Amino acid sequence: MKICPNCQSEMPAEAKFCTNCGTSLSDVPTEAQSTDTEETATTETAAETTATADETEAKAADGEPEAKPEESKPAAAEQATASTEQQTQAAPQPAQTSATAEATKKYATNYWAYLVDSLKHPYTMSGTYHKYFGLTSFIIVALLIALTIMMIANHAVSEVSGAASSLFGTEQISSAGSLGFSVAIRIFVLVFVIEIAMASVAYLTVHAMLGDRRLGYLDFLNQFAHFSNLAVFFTIIGFVLSLISGSIGSAVILYLAVIGSLGIEGIALVASVFKAEPTTHLDKIYAYIIGTFILGIAISIIGALFGAMLIGEIENVVGNLF
């Protein structure tokens, strides 16, 4: 069926002219064609909408974000960058200093427990300690002995200088006539090397001569220092006395700081040998005698190497007195 566009009359689908007004109907579509065209367009639109919805649901199921307008991407990137910068500024820097201080505090606390344990029971080491505690004890003893000798020597130089100035009317000696830290460093090295030599000879005696290989070198140093840690307390007392008493009682102070400390470490040599569990046929007494002989040779060599430097420095100080 066709509808005349002029008079709106209904005409058959095959009519070419309107019978009422004569208008040509060749270009007028039938109602069936129009309806089919509209239905086709509607079907295609619905299919496209359904396909878009299905694609969106599939992306959501796969965890993919929906596509955003291109204009929003730069703004989102700027916001993310700003947020990252704020977090970086707000986040604290790695606390390396704090971690080092905490580790040092822990080391000192454990070392103090090691000292107290050795003071209560020098011959029996009840626990397992840090492998460098023995070396730490040697360093403390050597350092305190060096500082004590420097303090006592400088007190003596000062008193001699004052007496000379009062008797002969000379001016008091300047600091050039005093033992400086360079001499203290040399004394420190000398004492430390002697301590290491004593502990090493004890290790050689126990490990090689008696065949007791239960302890490694550093663990053996820990045990040796445990026997001799009383020397740490002796040197502390000697150093404090050298600060408050001047040259008065200097012989007692030197005994506490030097002779007493090294004497205790000599006892540690004896304890190390007789605490060993031999696997050889060598008697402990003979092993101790041989070890003592070796130690005497080692100390003689050390004294020859370091003694010349110290004697030269002392002669320089004495020369400045007159």
Side-chain angles (χ1 to χ4, degrees), residues 233-295:
F233 297 97
F234 272 86
T235 52
I236 291 174
I237 294 173
F239 177 68
V240 172
L241 290 177
S242 71
L243 291 176
I244 63 178
S245 65
S247 63
I248 300 174
S250 58
V252 177
I253 296 172
L254 282 176
Y255 177 80
L256 289 173
V258 182
I259 301 175
S261 300
L262 296 179
I264 291 172
E265 293 185 354
I267 295 174
L269 173 61
V270 179
S272 298
V273 172
F274 286 93
K275 192 179 179 67
E277 296 181 2
T279 59
T280 63
H281 297 291
L282 183 64
D283 191 86
K284 291 181 180 179
I285 291 180
Y286 290 119
Y288 172 72
I289 292 173
I290 296 172
T292 304
F293 180 75
I294 295 173
L295 179 61

Short mmCIF file of all heavy atoms in Angstrom, two decimals, residues 233-295:
data_model
loop_
_atom_site.label_atom_id
_atom_site.label_comp_id
_atom_site.label_asym_id
_atom_site.label_seq_id
_atom_site.Cartn_x
_atom_site.Cartn_y
_atom_site.Cartn_z
N PHE A 233 90.04 -4.01 85.28
CA PHE A 233 89.69 -3.26 86.49
C PHE A 233 90.93 -2.64 87.13
O PHE A 233 90.87 -1.52 87.64
CB PHE A 233 88.97 -4.18 87.47
CG PHE A 233 87.66 -4.72 86.95
CD1 PHE A 233 87.59 -5.98 86.36
CD2 PHE A 233 86.51 -3.95 87.02
CE1 PHE A 233 86.39 -6.46 85.88
CE2 PHE A 233 85.31 -4.43 86.53
CZ PHE A 233 85.24 -5.69 85.96
N PHE A 234 92.05 -3.32 87.08
CA PHE A 234 93.28 -2.76 87.61
C PHE A 234 93.68 -1.50 86.84
O PHE A 234 94.07 -0.49 87.44
CB PHE A 234 94.42 -3.79 87.54
CG PHE A 234 94.50 -4.69 88.75
CD1 PHE A 234 93.74 -5.83 88.82
CD2 PHE A 234 95.33 -4.38 89.80
CE1 PHE A 234 93.81 -6.66 89.92
CE2 PHE A 234 95.42 -5.20 90.92
CZ PHE A 234 94.65 -6.35 90.98
N THR A 235 93.61 -1.56 85.53
CA THR A 235 94.01 -0.40 84.73
C THR A 235 93.03 0.76 84.89
O THR A 235 93.44 1.92 84.84
CB THR A 235 94.12 -0.78 83.25
OG1 THR A 235 92.90 -1.42 82.82
CG2 THR A 235 95.29 -1.71 83.01
N ILE A 236 91.76 0.46 85.09
CA ILE A 236 90.79 1.54 85.34
C ILE A 236 91.13 2.26 86.63
O ILE A 236 91.14 3.50 86.70
CB ILE A 236 89.36 0.98 85.37
CG1 ILE A 236 88.92 0.51 83.98
CG2 ILE A 236 88.38 2.03 85.89
CD1 ILE A 236 87.59 -0.18 83.95
N ILE A 237 91.42 1.49 87.67
CA ILE A 237 91.78 2.09 88.97
C ILE A 237 93.06 2.91 88.82
O ILE A 237 93.16 4.05 89.32
CB ILE A 237 91.95 0.99 90.03
CG1 ILE A 237 90.60 0.31 90.30
CG2 ILE A 237 92.51 1.57 91.32
CD1 ILE A 237 90.69 -0.91 91.19
N GLY A 238 94.05 2.35 88.13
CA GLY A 238 95.30 3.07 87.95
C GLY A 238 95.13 4.37 87.19
O GLY A 238 95.71 5.39 87.55
N PHE A 239 94.30 4.34 86.14
CA PHE A 239 94.09 5.56 85.36
C PHE A 239 93.38 6.64 86.18
O PHE A 239 93.75 7.83 86.13
CB PHE A 239 93.29 5.23 84.10
CG PHE A 239 92.96 6.41 83.26
CD1 PHE A 239 93.95 7.09 82.57
CD2 PHE A 239 91.65 6.87 83.15
CE1 PHE A 239 93.66 8.19 81.79
CE2 PHE A 239 91.35 7.98 82.37
CZ PHE A 239 92.36 8.64 81.69
N VAL A 240 92.36 6.25 86.95
CA VAL A 240 91.64 7.22 87.79
C VAL A 240 92.59 7.83 88.82
O VAL A 240 92.58 9.05 89.06
CB VAL A 240 90.43 6.55 88.47
CG1 VAL A 240 89.79 7.50 89.48
CG2 VAL A 240 89.41 6.14 87.43
N LEU A 241 93.44 7.01 89.44
CA LEU A 241 94.40 7.53 90.42
C LEU A 241 95.40 8.47 89.77
O LEU A 241 95.80 9.48 90.38
CB LEU A 241 95.14 6.37 91.09
CG LEU A 241 94.31 5.50 92.04
CD1 LEU A 241 95.15 4.35 92.57
CD2 LEU A 241 93.76 6.34 93.20
N SER A 242 95.81 8.19 88.53
CA SER A 242 96.75 9.08 87.85
C SER A 242 96.12 10.44 87.56
O SER A 242 96.84 11.44 87.45
CB SER A 242 97.23 8.43 86.56
OG SER A 242 96.19 8.40 85.58
N LEU A 243 94.81 10.49 87.44
CA LEU A 243 94.14 11.77 87.18
C LEU A 243 94.01 12.61 88.45
O LEU A 243 94.07 13.85 88.39
CB LEU A 243 92.74 11.51 86.61
CG LEU A 243 92.66 10.92 85.20
CD1 LEU A 243 91.22 10.63 84.84
CD2 LEU A 243 93.29 11.85 84.18
N ILE A 244 93.82 11.97 89.59
CA ILE A 244 93.49 12.73 90.81
C ILE A 244 94.65 12.87 91.79
O ILE A 244 94.60 13.72 92.69
CB ILE A 244 92.31 12.07 91.54
CG1 ILE A 244 92.68 10.65 92.01
CG2 ILE A 244 91.09 12.03 90.64
CD1 ILE A 244 91.56 9.96 92.78
N SER A 245 95.72 12.07 91.62
CA SER A 245 96.76 12.09 92.64
C SER A 245 98.08 12.68 92.17
O SER A 245 99.01 12.81 92.96
CB SER A 245 97.03 10.66 93.14
OG SER A 245 97.55 9.87 92.08
N GLY A 246 98.18 13.08 90.91
CA GLY A 246 99.44 13.63 90.42
C GLY A 246 100.52 12.58 90.47
O GLY A 246 100.31 11.42 90.14
N SER A 247 101.70 12.96 90.93
CA SER A 247 102.82 12.02 91.01
C SER A 247 102.89 11.32 92.35
O SER A 247 103.75 10.47 92.56
CB SER A 247 104.14 12.75 90.74
OG SER A 247 104.35 13.72 91.75
N ILE A 248 102.03 11.71 93.29
CA ILE A 248 102.03 11.08 94.60
C ILE A 248 101.54 9.64 94.44
O ILE A 248 100.48 9.37 93.87
CB ILE A 248 101.11 11.84 95.58
CG1 ILE A 248 101.60 13.28 95.74
CG2 ILE A 248 101.07 11.14 96.93
CD1 ILE A 248 100.68 14.14 96.57
N GLY A 249 102.29 8.73 94.99
CA GLY A 249 101.92 7.33 94.88
C GLY A 249 102.04 6.79 93.47
O GLY A 249 101.34 5.84 93.12
N SER A 250 102.92 7.38 92.63
CA SER A 250 103.03 6.95 91.24
C SER A 250 103.52 5.51 91.12
O SER A 250 103.17 4.80 90.18
CB SER A 250 103.98 7.88 90.47
OG SER A 250 105.26 7.90 91.09
N ALA A 251 104.34 5.06 92.08
CA ALA A 251 104.83 3.69 92.02
C ALA A 251 103.68 2.70 92.16
O ALA A 251 103.60 1.70 91.43
CB ALA A 251 105.86 3.46 93.14
N VAL A 252 102.74 3.00 93.06
CA VAL A 252 101.58 2.13 93.25
C VAL A 252 100.71 2.15 91.99
O VAL A 252 100.21 1.10 91.54
CB VAL A 252 100.76 2.57 94.47
CG1 VAL A 252 99.51 1.72 94.61
CG2 VAL A 252 101.61 2.48 95.72
N ILE A 253 100.55 3.34 91.42
CA ILE A 253 99.72 3.46 90.22
C ILE A 253 100.33 2.67 89.06
O ILE A 253 99.63 1.94 88.35
CB ILE A 253 99.56 4.94 89.85
CG1 ILE A 253 98.81 5.69 90.95
CG2 ILE A 253 98.81 5.09 88.53
CD1 ILE A 253 98.77 7.18 90.75
N LEU A 254 101.65 2.81 88.87
CA LEU A 254 102.30 2.06 87.80
C LEU A 254 102.21 0.56 88.03
O LEU A 254 102.06 -0.22 87.08
CB LEU A 254 103.77 2.49 87.69
CG LEU A 254 104.03 3.82 86.98
CD1 LEU A 254 105.50 4.18 87.03
CD2 LEU A 254 103.55 3.76 85.54
N TYR A 255 102.28 0.16 89.30
CA TYR A 255 102.16 -1.27 89.60
C TYR A 255 100.79 -1.79 89.20
O TYR A 255 100.65 -2.85 88.59
CB TYR A 255 102.42 -1.51 91.08
CG TYR A 255 102.25 -2.96 91.49
CD1 TYR A 255 103.25 -3.89 91.26
CD2 TYR A 255 101.07 -3.40 92.08
CE1 TYR A 255 103.11 -5.22 91.61
CE2 TYR A 255 100.89 -4.73 92.42
CZ TYR A 255 101.92 -5.63 92.19
OH TYR A 255 101.76 -6.95 92.54
N LEU A 256 99.75 -0.99 89.59
CA LEU A 256 98.39 -1.40 89.24
C LEU A 256 98.19 -1.44 87.74
O LEU A 256 97.58 -2.37 87.20
CB LEU A 256 97.37 -0.43 89.88
CG LEU A 256 97.21 -0.51 91.39
CD1 LEU A 256 96.31 0.62 91.87
CD2 LEU A 256 96.60 -1.85 91.79
N ALA A 257 98.70 -0.43 87.06
CA ALA A 257 98.41 -0.28 85.63
C ALA A 257 99.25 -1.22 84.77
O ALA A 257 98.74 -1.78 83.79
CB ALA A 257 98.65 1.16 85.19
N VAL A 258 100.51 -1.39 85.10
CA VAL A 258 101.41 -2.12 84.21
C VAL A 258 101.75 -3.50 84.78
O VAL A 258 101.37 -4.54 84.21
CB VAL A 258 102.70 -1.31 83.97
CG1 VAL A 258 103.60 -2.07 82.99
CG2 VAL A 258 102.37 0.06 83.41
N ILE A 259 102.45 -3.51 85.91
CA ILE A 259 102.94 -4.78 86.44
C ILE A 259 101.77 -5.68 86.83
O ILE A 259 101.75 -6.89 86.52
CB ILE A 259 103.87 -4.53 87.65
CG1 ILE A 259 105.05 -3.66 87.21
CG2 ILE A 259 104.36 -5.85 88.23
CD1 ILE A 259 105.97 -3.26 88.34
N GLY A 260 100.77 -5.09 87.53
CA GLY A 260 99.63 -5.89 87.95
C GLY A 260 98.87 -6.46 86.77
O GLY A 260 98.51 -7.64 86.75
N SER A 261 98.63 -5.63 85.75
CA SER A 261 97.85 -6.07 84.59
C SER A 261 98.57 -7.16 83.80
O SER A 261 97.99 -8.21 83.49
CB SER A 261 97.55 -4.88 83.69
OG SER A 261 96.81 -3.90 84.39
N LEU A 262 99.84 -6.92 83.47
CA LEU A 262 100.59 -7.92 82.71
C LEU A 262 100.84 -9.18 83.55
O LEU A 262 100.92 -10.29 83.01
CB LEU A 262 101.91 -7.33 82.22
CG LEU A 262 101.77 -6.17 81.22
CD1 LEU A 262 103.14 -5.65 80.81
CD2 LEU A 262 100.99 -6.61 79.99
N GLY A 263 100.95 -9.00 84.88
CA GLY A 263 101.10 -10.16 85.74
C GLY A 263 99.86 -11.04 85.72
O GLY A 263 99.95 -12.28 85.68
N ILE A 264 98.69 -10.42 85.71
CA ILE A 264 97.44 -11.19 85.62
C ILE A 264 97.35 -11.92 84.29
O ILE A 264 96.90 -13.07 84.22
CB ILE A 264 96.23 -10.26 85.82
CG1 ILE A 264 96.18 -9.76 87.27
CG2 ILE A 264 94.93 -10.96 85.47
CD1 ILE A 264 95.15 -8.70 87.52
N GLU A 265 97.81 -11.30 83.22
CA GLU A 265 97.79 -11.97 81.93
C GLU A 265 98.81 -13.11 81.89
O GLU A 265 98.62 -14.09 81.16
CB GLU A 265 98.04 -10.96 80.82
CG GLU A 265 96.88 -9.97 80.68
CD GLU A 265 97.03 -9.02 79.52
OE1 GLU A 265 98.10 -9.04 78.87
OE2 GLU A 265 96.08 -8.26 79.25
N GLY A 266 99.87 -13.00 82.69
CA GLY A 266 100.78 -14.13 82.83
C GLY A 266 100.08 -15.30 83.52
O GLY A 266 100.29 -16.47 83.16
N ILE A 267 99.23 -14.99 84.50
CA ILE A 267 98.44 -16.04 85.15
C ILE A 267 97.48 -16.67 84.14
O ILE A 267 97.22 -17.88 84.18
CB ILE A 267 97.67 -15.46 86.35
CG1 ILE A 267 98.65 -14.98 87.43
CG2 ILE A 267 96.69 -16.48 86.93
CD1 ILE A 267 97.98 -14.26 88.58
N ALA A 268 96.96 -15.87 83.21
CA ALA A 268 96.06 -16.39 82.19
C ALA A 268 96.77 -17.41 81.31
O ALA A 268 96.16 -18.38 80.84
CB ALA A 268 95.51 -15.25 81.35
N LEU A 269 98.07 -17.20 81.08
CA LEU A 269 98.84 -18.18 80.31
C LEU A 269 98.88 -19.52 81.05
O LEU A 269 98.68 -20.59 80.44
CB LEU A 269 100.26 -17.65 80.07
CG LEU A 269 101.26 -18.62 79.43
CD1 LEU A 269 100.79 -19.06 78.06
CD2 LEU A 269 102.64 -17.96 79.33
N VAL A 270 99.12 -19.46 82.35
CA VAL A 270 99.14 -20.68 83.15
C VAL A 270 97.77 -21.36 83.12
O VAL A 270 97.66 -22.59 82.92
CB VAL A 270 99.55 -20.37 84.60
CG1 VAL A 270 99.55 -21.65 85.44
CG2 VAL A 270 100.92 -19.71 84.65
N ALA A 271 96.71 -20.57 83.31
CA ALA A 271 95.36 -21.13 83.33
C ALA A 271 95.00 -21.78 82.00
O ALA A 271 94.36 -22.84 81.96
CB ALA A 271 94.35 -20.04 83.67
N SER A 272 95.41 -21.16 80.91
CA SER A 272 95.10 -21.70 79.58
C SER A 272 95.75 -23.07 79.38
O SER A 272 95.13 -24.00 78.84
CB SER A 272 95.58 -20.74 78.49
OG SER A 272 94.92 -19.50 78.58
N VAL A 273 97.00 -23.19 79.83
CA VAL A 273 97.72 -24.45 79.63
C VAL A 273 97.11 -25.56 80.49
O VAL A 273 96.87 -26.68 80.01
CB VAL A 273 99.21 -24.26 79.96
CG1 VAL A 273 99.93 -25.61 79.95
CG2 VAL A 273 99.86 -23.31 78.95
N PHE A 274 96.80 -25.24 81.76
CA PHE A 274 96.34 -26.30 82.65
C PHE A 274 94.84 -26.56 82.53
O PHE A 274 94.35 -27.54 83.10
CB PHE A 274 96.71 -25.94 84.10
CG PHE A 274 98.17 -26.13 84.37
CD1 PHE A 274 99.06 -25.07 84.23
CD2 PHE A 274 98.67 -27.37 84.74
CE1 PHE A 274 100.42 -25.24 84.47
CE2 PHE A 274 100.03 -27.56 84.97
CZ PHE A 274 100.91 -26.48 84.84
N LYS A 275 94.13 -25.73 81.78
CA LYS A 275 92.72 -26.02 81.50
C LYS A 275 92.56 -26.88 80.25
O LYS A 275 91.49 -27.42 79.98
CB LYS A 275 91.94 -24.70 81.31
CG LYS A 275 90.42 -24.86 81.30
CD LYS A 275 89.74 -23.52 81.13
CE LYS A 275 88.22 -23.67 81.08
NZ LYS A 275 87.67 -24.12 82.37
N ALA A 276 93.62 -27.02 79.50
CA ALA A 276 93.57 -27.76 78.24
C ALA A 276 93.31 -29.24 78.49
O ALA A 276 93.61 -29.78 79.56
CB ALA A 276 94.87 -27.58 77.47
N GLU A 277 92.74 -29.87 77.46
CA GLU A 277 92.53 -31.33 77.48
C GLU A 277 93.46 -31.94 76.43
O GLU A 277 93.14 -31.99 75.25
CB GLU A 277 91.07 -31.65 77.17
CG GLU A 277 90.09 -31.12 78.22
CD GLU A 277 88.65 -31.47 77.91
OE1 GLU A 277 88.42 -32.17 76.89
OE2 GLU A 277 87.76 -31.06 78.67
N PRO A 278 94.63 -32.41 76.87
CA PRO A 278 95.65 -32.86 75.92
C PRO A 278 95.24 -34.10 75.14
O PRO A 278 94.53 -34.97 75.65
CB PRO A 278 96.86 -33.16 76.81
CG PRO A 278 96.57 -32.51 78.13
CD PRO A 278 95.09 -32.49 78.26
N THR A 279 95.69 -34.14 73.92
CA THR A 279 95.56 -35.35 73.10
C THR A 279 96.94 -35.89 72.73
O THR A 279 97.04 -36.88 72.00
CB THR A 279 94.76 -35.06 71.82
OG1 THR A 279 95.42 -34.04 71.07
CG2 THR A 279 93.35 -34.60 72.15
N THR A 280 98.00 -35.23 73.22
CA THR A 280 99.37 -35.68 73.01
C THR A 280 99.92 -36.21 74.33
O THR A 280 99.28 -36.12 75.38
CB THR A 280 100.24 -34.52 72.49
OG1 THR A 280 100.30 -33.49 73.49
CG2 THR A 280 99.66 -33.94 71.21
N HIS A 281 101.15 -36.71 74.28
CA HIS A 281 101.78 -37.29 75.48
C HIS A 281 102.65 -36.28 76.22
O HIS A 281 103.29 -36.63 77.21
CB HIS A 281 102.63 -38.50 75.09
CG HIS A 281 101.82 -39.62 74.50
ND1 HIS A 281 100.92 -40.37 75.23
CD2 HIS A 281 101.78 -40.10 73.22
CE1 HIS A 281 100.36 -41.28 74.45
NE2 HIS A 281 100.84 -41.13 73.22
N LEU A 282 102.69 -35.03 75.74
CA LEU A 282 103.50 -34.01 76.41
C LEU A 282 102.82 -33.56 77.69
O LEU A 282 101.64 -33.22 77.70
CB LEU A 282 103.71 -32.82 75.47
CG LEU A 282 104.60 -31.68 76.01
CD1 LEU A 282 106.03 -32.19 76.21
CD2 LEU A 282 104.59 -30.49 75.03
N ASP A 283 103.59 -33.56 78.78
CA ASP A 283 103.05 -33.14 80.06
C ASP A 283 102.78 -31.63 80.05
O ASP A 283 103.49 -30.85 79.40
CB ASP A 283 104.05 -33.48 81.17
CG ASP A 283 103.43 -33.32 82.56
OD1 ASP A 283 102.80 -34.27 83.05
OD2 ASP A 283 103.57 -32.21 83.13
N LYS A 284 101.75 -31.21 80.78
CA LYS A 284 101.36 -29.80 80.79
C LYS A 284 102.47 -28.90 81.36
O LYS A 284 102.64 -27.76 80.90
CB LYS A 284 100.08 -29.61 81.61
CG LYS A 284 98.84 -30.22 80.97
CD LYS A 284 97.61 -29.98 81.83
CE LYS A 284 96.37 -30.58 81.19
NZ LYS A 284 95.16 -30.38 82.02
N ILE A 285 103.18 -29.38 82.34
CA ILE A 285 104.24 -28.56 82.93
C ILE A 285 105.34 -28.30 81.90
O ILE A 285 105.83 -27.17 81.75
CB ILE A 285 104.82 -29.24 84.19
CG1 ILE A 285 103.77 -29.23 85.30
CG2 ILE A 285 106.11 -28.54 84.64
CD1 ILE A 285 104.23 -29.87 86.59
N TYR A 286 105.73 -29.34 81.15
CA TYR A 286 106.75 -29.14 80.13
C TYR A 286 106.22 -28.23 79.01
O TYR A 286 106.97 -27.41 78.46
CB TYR A 286 107.19 -30.48 79.56
CG TYR A 286 107.99 -31.30 80.54
CD1 TYR A 286 107.55 -32.54 80.96
CD2 TYR A 286 109.21 -30.83 81.03
CE1 TYR A 286 108.28 -33.30 81.86
CE2 TYR A 286 109.94 -31.58 81.93
CZ TYR A 286 109.48 -32.81 82.35
OH TYR A 286 110.22 -33.54 83.25
N ALA A 287 104.95 -28.37 78.69
CA ALA A 287 104.37 -27.49 77.68
C ALA A 287 104.41 -26.03 78.16
O ALA A 287 104.71 -25.12 77.38
CB ALA A 287 102.93 -27.91 77.39
N TYR A 288 104.12 -25.82 79.44
CA TYR A 288 104.15 -24.46 79.99
C TYR A 288 105.57 -23.90 79.97
O TYR A 288 105.77 -22.72 79.63
CB TYR A 288 103.59 -24.45 81.40
CG TYR A 288 103.75 -23.12 82.10
CD1 TYR A 288 102.98 -22.02 81.73
CD2 TYR A 288 104.71 -22.95 83.10
CE1 TYR A 288 103.14 -20.79 82.36
CE2 TYR A 288 104.88 -21.74 83.73
CZ TYR A 288 104.10 -20.66 83.36
OH TYR A 288 104.27 -19.45 83.98
N ILE A 289 106.54 -24.70 80.32
CA ILE A 289 107.93 -24.24 80.33
C ILE A 289 108.36 -23.85 78.92
O ILE A 289 108.98 -22.79 78.70
CB ILE A 289 108.86 -25.34 80.90
CG1 ILE A 289 108.57 -25.53 82.39
CG2 ILE A 289 110.32 -24.95 80.70
CD1 ILE A 289 109.32 -26.70 83.00
N ILE A 290 108.04 -24.68 77.94
CA ILE A 290 108.40 -24.37 76.55
C ILE A 290 107.69 -23.10 76.09
O ILE A 290 108.27 -22.23 75.43
CB ILE A 290 108.05 -25.56 75.64
CG1 ILE A 290 108.89 -26.79 76.01
CG2 ILE A 290 108.28 -25.19 74.17
CD1 ILE A 290 108.47 -28.05 75.28
N GLY A 291 106.39 -22.98 76.43
CA GLY A 291 105.64 -21.79 76.05
C GLY A 291 106.21 -20.53 76.67
O GLY A 291 106.30 -19.48 76.01
N THR A 292 106.61 -20.59 77.93
CA THR A 292 107.21 -19.44 78.60
C THR A 292 108.53 -19.04 77.92
O THR A 292 108.82 -17.85 77.76
CB THR A 292 107.46 -19.76 80.08
OG1 THR A 292 106.24 -20.16 80.69
CG2 THR A 292 108.01 -18.55 80.82
N PHE A 293 109.32 -20.02 77.53
CA PHE A 293 110.58 -19.75 76.84
C PHE A 293 110.31 -19.04 75.51
O PHE A 293 110.98 -18.06 75.16
CB PHE A 293 111.34 -21.06 76.62
CG PHE A 293 112.65 -20.89 75.91
CD1 PHE A 293 113.75 -20.37 76.57
CD2 PHE A 293 112.78 -21.25 74.57
CE1 PHE A 293 114.97 -20.22 75.91
CE2 PHE A 293 113.98 -21.10 73.91
CZ PHE A 293 115.08 -20.58 74.58
N ILE A 294 109.33 -19.54 74.76
CA ILE A 294 108.98 -18.91 73.48
C ILE A 294 108.48 -17.48 73.72
O ILE A 294 108.81 -16.55 72.96
CB ILE A 294 107.91 -19.74 72.75
CG1 ILE A 294 108.48 -21.11 72.36
CG2 ILE A 294 107.40 -19.01 71.51
CD1 ILE A 294 107.45 -22.05 71.78
N LEU A 295 107.68 -17.28 74.77
CA LEU A 295 107.16 -15.94 75.07
C LEU A 295 108.29 -14.98 75.41
O LEU A 295 108.26 -13.81 75.01
CB LEU A 295 106.17 -16.03 76.23
CG LEU A 295 105.55 -14.70 76.68
CD1 LEU A 295 104.76 -14.06 75.55
CD2 LEU A 295 104.64 -14.92 77.89
#
